[in-house]
Amino acid sequence: MEQLTRAEERVMQVLWHIKKGFVKDIIAQLDGEPKPPYNTISSIVRQLEKKGYVQYKAYGKTYEYYPAISKAAYRKRAFFKLFTDYFDESAGNLLSFMVQENSLLPEEVEEIKKIINQK
């Protein structure tokens, strides 16, 4: 599957949240003002459908969209792409980065140590 753009990911976040909906439902759930134009979101949803991330049910000329891929499956795919592209598939590189950037709380470090010791 192709990588998602920021706009596509934003629409997918809404669809994962609402489970299914029409373009107007997606627009209503988007943060910020002014809301994006209907045609813009409609185009994004159609692109997501072409990429295999969204499916739809037709009601005449109106379409109800729903995710074709779960949020968990997408998260896994996105994480492994990040892991491969930026951390050379090294858990050590990833953890080192997180520790150096102060991204881990002390209790999280302890939890990671417990997990490692159990393995």
Side-chain angles (χ1 to χ4, degrees):
M1 286 183 140
E2 287 183 55
Q3 192 74 10
L4 297 181
T5 66
R6 283 195 194 285
E8 290 168 342
E9 205 167 270
R10 188 173 166 215
V11 168
M12 284 305 300
Q13 291 290 348
V14 170
L15 279 174
W16 285 319
H17 177 73
I18 66 174
K19 310 285 189 258
K20 61 182 177 177
F22 301 95
V23 171
K24 66 179 180 64
D25 300 323
I26 296 168
I27 293 169
Q29 292 290 317
L30 289 170
D31 293 332
E33 292 294 332
K35 298 290 186 186
Y38 183 95
N39 288 343
T40 300
I41 300 304
S42 180
S43 294
I44 291 170
V45 172
R46 284 194 311 275
Q47 190 62 34
L48 286 166
E49 191 267 326
K50 286 179 189 171
K51 289 182 174 183
Y53 286 92
V54 169
Q55 293 178 331
Y56 64 89
K57 183 175 181 181
Y59 297 95
K61 293 183 179 184
T62 304
Y63 299 95
E64 183 177 39
Y65 297 97
Y66 56 92
I69 180 173
S70 71
K71 187 174 183 176
Y74 180 73
R75 178 179 31 224
K76 184 177 181 179
R77 179 177 292 130
F79 173 78
F80 280 107
K81 176 149 181 44
L82 178 77
F83 185 63
T84 301
D85 291 352
Y86 296 98
F87 297 101
D88 302 321
E89 297 183 39
S90 167
N93 288 348
L94 174 63
L95 285 172
S96 174
F97 172 80
M98 293 175 75
V99 169
Q100 289 174 2
E101 294 297 318
N102 296 319
S103 301
L104 295 173
L105 299 171
E107 54 269 14
E108 292 172 323
V109 172
E110 289 304 315
E111 184 64 28
I112 291 169
K113 286 179 183 178
K114 287 179 188 175
I115 293 168
I116 291 170
N117 288 334
Q118 290 173 353
K119 295 278 177 176

